[in-house]
Amino acid sequence: MFSLKKGLRVIVPVLLVLCVSSHNSRAEVLGSVGQVYDIAEKDALKEIEEKASKVDWAKYLAGASQKAANWRPQQPVSLPRALKPAKRLVDVSYVLDTDVPLPDGSGVYPKGYVINPLDMVQFPETMIVINGDDREQIQWFKKSNYFYDPSVFILLTDGEYSKIEKEIKRPVYFANAQIVDKFDVRSVPAVIKQAGKKMEITEIELEVKKN
């Protein structure tokens, strides 16, 4: 017999995995079919090897590494600095826009059904959204209790992530429009964490340093 509650426990983790995981490719050896040809003539391969031997690979790789270290999104999320403290709760429920069959075939969630993932799963992590180009926001994080909490991860609206990673000694990621819109983040620094069946967003006003 189809159980709605049981079905939710099955489908919610699946939906979450589909939303946050990347697609992994798999390669298989299928063997040879038909005539097999050499990739290139020996003289051509020798010429390629000679050209490759003349490349300063250390310089080339250093340049590529520097480009990666300085990478920023082409369309970064722009959020103002918080001018006053604010706190609000956000409902992360969503409405299915199509029928979704359960993996075990025991039923279907109909189009229009409302699902709140927090009814079935917990979100133990805390997300901190900051502007990495604002030194005061970096310093605020380093002096806060969040700095020592391994369950906290950082989302940048802007900044040089490689330098920030070295400074705070943990991975950092760039926030995107989907995250900002979903959690209704309006200014930074902002703290996002679960509060019951909703997500709590706290925007923090930093003390303005006087010259």
Side-chain angles (χ1 to χ4, degrees):
M1 183 176 179
F2 173 64
S3 168
L4 188 63
K5 187 173 181 180
K6 179 183 177 182
L8 270 175
R9 293 186 183 278
V10 174
I11 198 169
V12 169
V14 172
L15 289 174
L16 289 175
V17 168
L18 290 175
C19 289
V20 302
S21 65
S22 60
H23 296 286
N24 293 321
S25 59
R26 183 181 65 179
E28 297 181 1
V29 178
L30 300 178
S32 301
V33 178
Q35 180 65 42
V36 178
Y37 298 93
D38 291 334
I39 293 175
E41 296 294 335
K42 292 183 179 179
D43 289 345
L45 289 174
K46 185 176 181 180
E47 182 179 353
I48 292 172
E49 290 174 356
E50 289 176 353
K51 289 183 178 180
S53 67
K54 296 177 182 178
V55 175
D56 187 342
W57 290 106
K59 183 177 180 180
Y60 175 82
L61 293 174
S65 177
Q66 183 64 30
K67 287 181 180 179
N70 294 331
W71 182 87
R72 298 190 187 202
Q74 292 183 349
Q75 295 180 327
V77 177
S78 179
L79 290 173
R81 183 164 165 171
L83 299 179
K84 60 181 181 180
K87 181 179 291 188
R88 56 189 168 276
L89 295 175
V90 174
D91 185 353
V92 294
S93 299
Y94 58 93
V95 180
L96 295 180
D97 59 4
T98 186
D99 292 344
V100 179
L102 289 171
D104 60 4
S106 61
V108 174
Y109 277 101
K111 177 181 178 180
Y113 190 83
V114 179
I115 291 181
N116 182 355
L118 298 180
D119 285 335
M120 295 299 137
V121 295
Q122 297 294 311
F123 191 84
E125 291 82 7
T126 297
M127 295 182 283
I128 307 288
V129 187
I130 58 175
N131 183 343
D133 282 336
D134 186 338
R135 287 301 307 169
E136 291 184 4
Q137 293 187 42
I138 299 293
Q139 292 303 318
W140 163 80
F141 173 72
K142 291 172 65 176
K143 293 177 182 179
S144 72
N145 292 331
Y146 298 116
F147 182 75
Y148 304 98
D149 187 345
S151 70
V152 169
F153 63 93
I154 301 296
L155 298 175
L156 302 177
T157 59
D158 212 336
E160 294 186 35
Y161 78 92
S162 59
K163 289 184 179 180
I164 296 170
E165 281 186 341
K166 291 179 181 178
E167 181 174 352
I168 67 176
K169 297 179 175 60
R170 68 169 68 203
V172 300
Y173 310 89
F174 280 103
N176 59 33
Q178 285 181 312
I179 292 174
V180 169
D181 292 343
K182 184 65 177 179
F183 296 116
D184 192 24
V185 182
R186 303 172 189 175
S187 59
V188 289
V191 180
I192 306 172
K193 61 182 179 180
Q194 183 175 352
K197 301 302 182 183
K198 295 185 178 181
M199 297 297 288
E200 180 183 82
I201 288 76
T202 304
E203 293 165 355
I204 299 167
E205 178 189 12
L206 301 183
E207 182 179 354
V208 178
K209 292 184 179 180
K210 296 181 180 180
N211 295 329

